[in-house]
Amino acid sequence: MARSTVLTTTLVGMALILGGCATNSPDQGDNINYGEFRQGSEHPAVLMLFGQADDAMQAGNWSAALTYLDQARRIEPRNPYVLYRQAKAVLSAGDSTRAKQLLERARVFANEDDDMLNYLLYELEFQL
Amino acid sequence: MPGKSTQKPANKKPVRKNTASQKEPSKKSSTGAPKGASKVPSKMSSKKPSDQNSRAKQAESGKPKRQWKGKLLALLILLLTLFAAWMVYLDAEVRKAFDGKKWALPAKVYARPLALYPGRLLSPEQLQAELQWADYRASGQVDRPGTYKRAGDTWQIYRRGFPFWDGPEASRVIKVTISSGRIARVSDADGTQALIRLEPQYIGGIFPVHNEDRELVRLEDVPPVLVAALIITEDKRFFEHWGISPTGIARAMVANMQAGRMVQGGSTLTQQLVKNFFLTNERSLSRKVQEAFMSLLLELHYDKEEILEAYINEVYLGQAGRRGIHGFGLASRFYFGKPLRELDHAEIATLVGLVKGASFYNPRRNPQRSKERRDLILRLMADSKIISEADSLRAMRSPLLTASPRRAGQREYPAFLELAKQQLQQDYRLQDLQSEGLRIFTTLDPWVQNAVEQAADSHLSRLENRAPSLKNKLETAAVVTSVDGGEIRALLGARDASFFGFNRALNAKRAVGSLAKPAVYLAALRSGNYHWGTLVDDAPVTVEGQDGSLWQPQNYDKTSHGLLPMQETLQRSLNQATARLGMTVGLNNVVDELTRLGIRDDIPPYPSLLLGAMSLSPLEMTQMYQTIASEGFLMPLRTIDAVTTADGDMLSSYAIRGQQVYDPVTMEWLTAGLKAVVRDGTARRLNSLPQPLAGKTGTSDDQRDAWYAGFDNRHLGVIWVGMDDNAAMPFTGSSGALPIWQETFRRIGTEPLAPPRNLVQIPVNEQGQLMDEGCSATVYEFPVAWQEKDRISCESGVKSLGREIRSWLDRLF
């Protein structure tokens, strides 16, 4: 349980970094908050589902979060941020092996952020 | 798992228990009562009165009389006790079944919901079809759920409310604008929306043994007109009697005697319910007596509304193949394609008419008889002031219209359901699936399923026209999945898509032929010694087996083609070149690739496997190509998205899972070869579709099996055509299976493959040597890392490397 918490914290931290890297919107400034992590897509439907998934995550309902994210994945199947969030959801549910697999999948599509995801996978590996 | 902890429902088991244990009291009475009764007359007959001592005689004769009375009383008490015990037993049975769950509710299986969002590929034809299959009606006024209107590119749809797995959604009017085959805008009363889902289509159930299906309704959701019509037709005094109606029985007897045959039944609604609910169809006096007592007990414990609600949900109203249609809720959807509360007077009367005989008055099979019955009930409804005379006449004039039995919600998808059931049983008990009313949300895409069914049907007919001796002998199987998620979008297990039987997609193990060849080329590419421009010798090859037998494969055209670039040997599916290549890279390496791609069967490393001499099902082949299409992600092919309880609480969700088993660069490189198969090779007839696409044809020995496996940017499709007796056909993969894929993808819309992210183009000369950029030579695709390899300049001419390769190959064979 404690290990999951550590992993989740690590992943969320990395997510915030990734979210910040991915967005160039001028109104974001330096103050990265969780809301900015939603900018992993510009598709309105995907953003809506990200929001629903976030709400479910905050309510501790990982299973529901995963289904919202899977709907997002169908719309943007090769968006690494969708897969990243799915990894986060399954990790929160305690399945670190599956989280690692999803991150490896995300890496297939994460061209510019390879270093970040590699680091994330390294961290995850270290924790496992 | 939640499924394991679900409560055992009260189902039909009490019926059997009831019948068996019912015999016990009667056994006791037959062994007890007659035994005692037989003693009484024997004692009486042994005592004869004497003339001499009359007082004594009187005293003696009085004694047995008292004894006789006493025994009679005891017998009476015994019988009463037994009767009371029987009543207590019946009462317990009635209450146990009625207080708990009354029915085993089959799991309801749904297709995927149609997600509407800007940018989605959606043709007007698809939207029109999906609306019709979901029982939407075109209407001038979009004023009630289930109606829609099209005005040019804009569709106005009154979407019904639906309990999705992630929460219920209320009905609402939406607008969808389609432009150039994609959704341009989705909106509702609140303005533009990012995403709206249409409710999914019902595609089948997981039924208990008797295949009873029903959709439970509450009495308050039943139109009062239907309730009134049911009562005046079936049991006028329902609200007055106590479960049985002596006057009704008497009236029925008189009517039957006058007619000389059975024309009227005397059963009340309560008795009918008891008969269906607790008892068997046996026609005997004892069963009638039991039915009467149980009816009285039911009325004693429950009010009329509860009994009526149970009746409305229990009554048998039709048959759809193996599926028994029970209750007005399901019957309304089955016959009219809409919920009960949306029925008009004529439709209500038609359904009520079915109670007397669901088969006899079936509006589809016996429309005239059904209409006469309907009109009779409409007349009764007017006479009883349930509806006005004018409404009654208007309803009688309306034609007997039923929803099309061909629409999606009316039929099942046996092949897909079989796999879904198998996958569900990994997490749920069959008993729970059959009885707990679970809602199963699947990955089936009815539009894709419909496309593959139509394509298969029409192409097999064409093939049979070409070869009349094969009429009705050709069979087929198909699997279509999403490239990135491994979701099964369509599954065809037989030519007759509605057939509940041998599911070829899952269970037909057939020789895969050239469909296995990509594993050989993958092993070659991964060895580091080959690229698509490397020369491979398509020359006769002989391999001696351990038993001394010789394997000497032939090409389809029975000729050898000499040294050719590896890409060409794949795109032309040359057997000798592939066999030679496979033997060079090593059989075990090829077996390893097959295993890594997802083939779970044990594959012995015989040389013939290089040309596909192994038997696998279409689903197994789909698994292999899924890994290629998804750039190396080995994922389970799944049919289930989510499972909820009958109340909508989510029990499980099945999002993407899998393992990246190949570097995506390698898979892109392999796919480059498969693209060439479509662009210039055996699958080039697909050139009529948007390009690029990737795929491979397959034909087994003697053309017993025709295969095609191919993918675009969204879907992977694997098609098999052959005969169950494994006979040879005059067709190849290209002519037998490929056209089905082609037609399917033309119908569902083809999205060209995305450009490779990790490959570069490098010119290669005729000897297979890499040349500098800009040289005039054939260009092949390479991983970026190959840019660093030594190349020859455009001017340096031909080095002797080609000959070196040839002599190297010749040394091996």
Side-chain angles (χ1 to χ4, degrees):
Chain A
M1 191 64 194
R3 195 175 69 172
S4 291
T5 311
V6 171
L7 288 174
T8 306
T9 311
T10 309
L11 287 170
V12 169
M14 292 313 300
L16 296 178
I17 295 164
L18 284 171
C21 292
T23 56
N24 297 312
S25 165
D27 57 323
Q28 286 179 7
D30 295 325
N31 299 322
I32 298 168
N33 60 43
Y34 190 70
E36 287 170 12
F37 180 54
R38 295 183 184 184
Q39 303 297 322
S41 169
E42 293 181 355
H43 197 294
V46 173
L47 290 176
M48 185 187 103
L49 290 160
F50 277 3
Q52 289 174 323
D54 287 345
D55 292 344
M57 290 277 280
Q58 277 165 13
N61 191 347
W62 322 125
S63 183
L66 205 54
T67 67
Y68 288 125
L69 293 169
D70 222 42
Q71 290 176 61
R73 185 190 53 75
R74 284 187 196 123
I75 297 168
E76 288 189 334
R78 294 163 199 174
N79 179 343
Y81 292 91
V82 177
L83 293 159
Y84 181 75
R85 285 166 176 272
Q86 289 194 302
K88 187 155 69 75
V90 295
L91 187 63
S92 302
D95 191 346
S96 50
T97 305
R98 191 175 172 193
K100 182 171 182 279
Q101 288 171 343
L102 288 171
L103 285 176
E104 282 174 350
R105 181 64 176 162
R107 187 165 61 171
V108 172
F109 306 112
N111 292 327
E112 292 169 19
D113 300 317
D114 258 350
D115 290 345
M116 287 295 186
L117 277 171
N118 283 334
Y119 176 72
L120 198 55
L121 282 164
Y122 171 77
E123 286 290 306
L124 189 62
E125 192 75 40
F126 182 73
Q127 301 281 353
L128 282 171
Chain B
M1 283 306 297
K4 285 167 189 165
S5 62
T6 40
Q7 216 176 356
K8 188 183 169 187
N11 54 18
K12 287 284 180 186
K13 279 181 184 169
V15 174
R16 287 191 293 275
K17 280 184 189 166
N18 197 17
T19 317
S21 51
Q22 189 192 330
K23 287 175 185 169
E24 287 180 23
S26 61
K27 260 186 194 170
K28 281 176 191 167
S29 64
S30 66
T31 52
K35 206 172 176 183
S38 68
K39 283 180 183 173
V40 174
S42 74
K43 278 183 184 174
M44 284 173 68
S45 60
S46 67
K47 295 280 178 185
K48 289 190 176 180
S50 162
D51 292 337
Q52 292 176 342
N53 198 339
S54 61
R55 287 181 71 182
K57 283 178 197 169
Q58 275 177 359
E60 279 175 14
S61 66
K63 199 175 175 184
K65 199 173 181 179
R66 277 199 301 276
Q67 280 177 346
W68 182 84
K69 277 183 181 173
K71 293 203 176 193
L72 194 62
L73 192 64
L75 179 64
L76 209 61
I77 290 167
L78 179 68
L79 286 174
L80 277 172
T81 308
L82 287 173
F83 178 74
W86 187 51
M87 282 296 105
V88 168
Y89 169 76
L90 286 184
D91 190 56
E93 286 292 302
V94 165
R95 293 175 70 171
K96 188 174 77 181
F98 220 76
D99 284 342
K101 274 192 193 170
K102 299 178 184 68
W103 299 279
L105 291 178
K108 284 188 181 301
V109 186
Y110 295 95
R112 61 94 182 94
L114 180 64
L116 303 168
Y117 54 84
R120 184 199 165 110
L121 202 64
L122 182 71
S123 64
E125 294 75 27
Q126 181 180 352
L127 183 55
Q128 173 94 18
E130 300 244 10
L131 287 170
Q132 284 178 351
W133 292 338
D135 295 323
Y136 280 77
R137 283 152 206 256
S139 166
Q141 293 295 316
V142 182
D143 53 358
R144 55 200 289 191
T147 55
Y148 75 93
K149 184 170 75 176
R150 179 183 180 181
D153 291 336
T154 301
W155 301 65
Q156 196 177 8
I157 304 163
Y158 203 140
R159 196 207 64 180
R160 300 187 186 96
F162 188 81
F164 289 93
W165 63 92
D166 49 11
E169 289 187 15
S171 60
R172 56 174 158 168
V173 179
I174 59 173
K175 270 190 184 174
V176 183
T177 306
I178 298 175
S179 176
S180 305
R182 288 187 185 272
I183 296 177
R185 184 169 184 262
V186 183
S187 63
D188 66 4
D190 298 330
T192 300
Q193 294 295 321
L195 170 68
I196 294 177
R197 292 173 294 186
L198 289 185
E199 73 270 28
Q201 293 164 30
Y202 169 86
I203 57 163
I206 299 175
F207 301 114
V209 180
H210 300 294
N211 292 325
E212 281 189 15
D213 195 12
R214 54 174 48 80
E215 186 177 309
L216 293 186
V217 291
R218 289 173 307 179
L219 193 56
E220 56 262 38
D221 295 329
V222 181
V225 171
L226 190 152
V227 176
L230 178 66
I231 287 171
I232 58 141
T233 312
E234 291 296 317
D235 186 1
K236 280 194 187 66
R237 289 170 47 81
F238 175 72
F239 283 105
E240 293 152 30
H241 62 64
W242 287 11
I244 55 173
S245 172
T247 53
I249 294 168
R251 194 169 49 244
M253 281 175 68
V254 171
N256 293 343
M257 283 166 66
Q258 282 174 346
R261 62 194 170 90
M262 191 74 171
V263 293
Q264 195 175 331
S267 291
T268 64
L269 283 182
T270 316
Q271 283 173 286
Q272 289 181 41
L273 175 63
V274 164
K275 183 178 74 179
N276 294 335
F277 206 64
F278 300 100
L279 304 171
T280 63
N281 281 328
E282 179 200 345
R283 285 189 163 203
S284 68
L285 188 60
S286 66
R287 205 219 65 174
K288 286 300 277 182
V289 170
Q290 190 179 355
E291 175 189 300
F293 281 120
M294 288 180 103
S295 300
L296 287 168
L297 290 167
L298 201 63
E299 295 268 353
L300 188 69
H301 290 298
Y302 304 96
D303 59 33
K304 290 285 186 185
E305 283 72 22
E306 286 174 285
I307 292 168
L308 197 55
E309 186 177 274
Y311 182 88
I312 283 167
N313 284 309
E314 167 61 35
V315 63
Y316 172 74
L317 293 172
Q319 195 73 30
R322 62 180 188 138
R323 173 180 170 220
I325 307 297
H326 287 256
F328 281 91
L330 183 60
S332 173
R333 286 202 192 275
F334 178 69
Y335 290 108
F336 303 111
K338 52 186 171 182
L340 207 49
R341 59 181 174 278
E342 291 179 19
L343 293 184
D344 62 28
H345 293 152
E347 290 162 342
I348 285 173
T350 306
L351 284 192
V352 170
L354 285 168
V355 173
K356 194 175 176 188
S359 175
F360 195 75
Y361 294 108
N362 184 311
R364 289 187 187 133
R365 275 184 291 161
N366 304 309
Q368 186 54 36
R369 212 182 276 158
S370 175
K371 186 176 182 310
E372 284 167 13
R373 177 80 182 152
R374 179 197 75 173
D375 292 349
L376 177 74
I377 291 167
L378 285 167
R379 163 68 24 225
L380 275 175
M381 288 161 76
D383 290 347
S384 308
K385 312 289 184 207
I386 296 168
I387 57 174
S388 70
E389 189 69 28
D391 281 348
S392 172
L393 290 171
R394 197 177 305 120
M396 283 187 207
R397 280 197 298 272
S398 67
L400 190 75
L401 282 180
T402 59
S404 166
R406 295 169 65 86
R407 70 193 196 281
Q410 288 292 283
R411 49 160 290 192
E412 295 186 84
Y413 297 83
F416 183 88
L417 280 177
E418 184 184 348
L419 182 59
K421 196 169 154 186
Q422 275 179 20
Q423 295 188 346
L424 281 165
Q425 283 185 259
Q426 292 168 9
D427 291 333
Y428 292 87
R429 295 184 309 178
L430 181 60
Q431 185 193 352
D432 292 336
L433 294 169
Q434 291 173 333
S435 64
E436 296 295 320
L438 301 180
R439 289 168 178 268
I440 315 293
F441 294 91
T442 71
T443 59
L444 183 84
D445 184 330
W447 179 247
V448 180
Q449 177 74 25
N450 181 64
V452 75
E453 284 177 12
Q454 302 284 328
D457 192 49
S458 61
H459 184 62
L460 291 192
S461 297
R462 265 198 303 276
L463 290 176
E464 288 177 347
N465 285 340
R466 259 188 262 161
S469 63
L470 301 182
K471 191 84 181 162
N472 296 324
K473 287 184 181 171
L474 289 179
E475 265 299 346
T476 187
V479 186
V480 182
T481 63
S482 66
V483 160
D484 290 293
E487 295 116 333
I488 295 182
R489 297 301 184 201
L491 194 83
L492 194 59
R495 183 178 187 172
D496 176 4
S498 60
F499 176 64
F500 278 88
F502 185 53
N503 189 339
R504 291 164 189 80
L506 312 188
N507 304 318
K509 297 268 189 178
R510 304 291 301 220
V512 300
S514 301
L515 241 55
K517 282 180 181 165
V520 178
Y521 289 85
L522 177 58
L525 293 173
R526 272 165 48 81
S527 72
N529 299 321
Y530 292 84
H531 56 76
W532 286 118
T534 304
L535 295 181
V536 178
D537 199 5
D538 185 60
V541 55
T542 300
V543 180
E544 189 177 339
Q546 286 178 339
D547 59 352
S549 62
L550 296 179
W551 182 59
Q552 296 173 310
Q554 293 285 317
N555 283 327
Y556 180 68
D557 59 4
K558 308 290 182 200
T559 55
S560 303
H561 302 87
L563 279 175
L564 291 169
M566 195 171 83
Q567 182 169 294
E568 191 173 338
T569 63
L570 174 65
Q571 74 194 33
R572 292 170 68 179
S573 202
L574 297 177
N575 289 339
Q576 291 181 340
T578 307
R580 187 171 284 265
L581 182 67
M583 293 307 294
T584 308
V585 298
L587 278 174
N588 286 328
N589 289 333
V590 175
V591 171
D592 287 349
E593 301 300 352
L594 286 166
T595 307
R596 198 168 181 181
L597 285 166
I599 303 298
R600 289 283 162 264
D601 276 15
D602 189 31
I603 308 163
Y606 298 136
S608 57
L609 86 86
L610 299 170
L611 304 181
M614 54 183 176
S615 296
L616 296 168
S617 70
L619 188 69
E620 288 169 313
M621 286 319 293
T622 309
Q623 182 75 68
M624 171 177 156
Y625 276 81
Q626 185 76 37
T627 310
I628 300 170
S630 67
E631 298 184 53
F633 199 53
L634 176 62
M635 58 190 130
L637 302 178
R638 67 188 168 95
T639 56
I640 311 297
D641 261 344
V643 180
T644 73
T645 64
D647 298 329
D649 297 326
M650 190 153 70
L651 293 175
S652 359
S653 66
Y654 299 83
I656 187 171
R657 64 168 68 234
Q659 194 178 356
Q660 193 69 34
V661 291
Y662 281 102
D663 177 356
V665 181
T666 309
M667 286 294 112
E668 280 193 340
W669 203 16
L670 177 63
T671 300
L674 296 174
K675 283 181 187 170
V677 172
V678 178
R679 191 176 57 239
D680 301 312
T682 54
R684 62 185 171 278
R685 67 182 294 162
L686 293 180
N687 281 339
S688 61
L689 295 175
Q691 298 293 317
L693 303 170
K696 184 73 194 80
T697 52
T699 312
S700 67
D701 280 352
D702 301 327
Q703 298 177 213
R704 298 173 195 279
D705 303 272
W707 293 86
Y708 183 70
F711 51 94
D712 72 352
N713 208 39
R714 297 188 303 161
H715 295 110
L716 161 69
V718 174
I719 313 286
W720 167 85
V721 171
M723 285 188 273
D724 285 342
D725 62 3
N726 212 19
M729 305 179 292
F731 314 117
T732 61
S734 183
S735 60
L738 177 64
I740 296 176
W741 192 99
Q742 183 178 20
E743 179 60 10
T744 302
F745 277 65
R746 189 192 67 75
R747 285 169 183 254
I748 65 177
T750 312
E751 197 170 280
L753 291 168
R757 297 182 307 278
N758 309 294
L759 301 183
V760 292
Q761 293 190 325
I762 298 177
V764 177
N765 68 14
E766 290 180 354
Q767 278 63 47
Q769 297 165 294
L770 272 63
M771 300 181 77
D772 284 341
E773 295 297 324
C775 293
S776 175
T778 308
V779 169
Y780 292 93
E781 288 184 287
F782 288 83
V784 175
W786 279 65
Q787 279 180 313
E788 307 304 318
K789 300 227 175 196
D790 288 342
R791 305 201 209 176
I792 61 170
S793 65
C794 300
E795 296 79 27
S796 66
V798 177
K799 286 187 3 185
S800 59
L801 192 61
R803 285 194 297 276
E804 285 171 13
I805 290 177
R806 183 165 197 169
S807 60
W808 176 62
L809 286 169
D810 288 342
R811 277 201 304 276
L812 283 166
F813 299 93

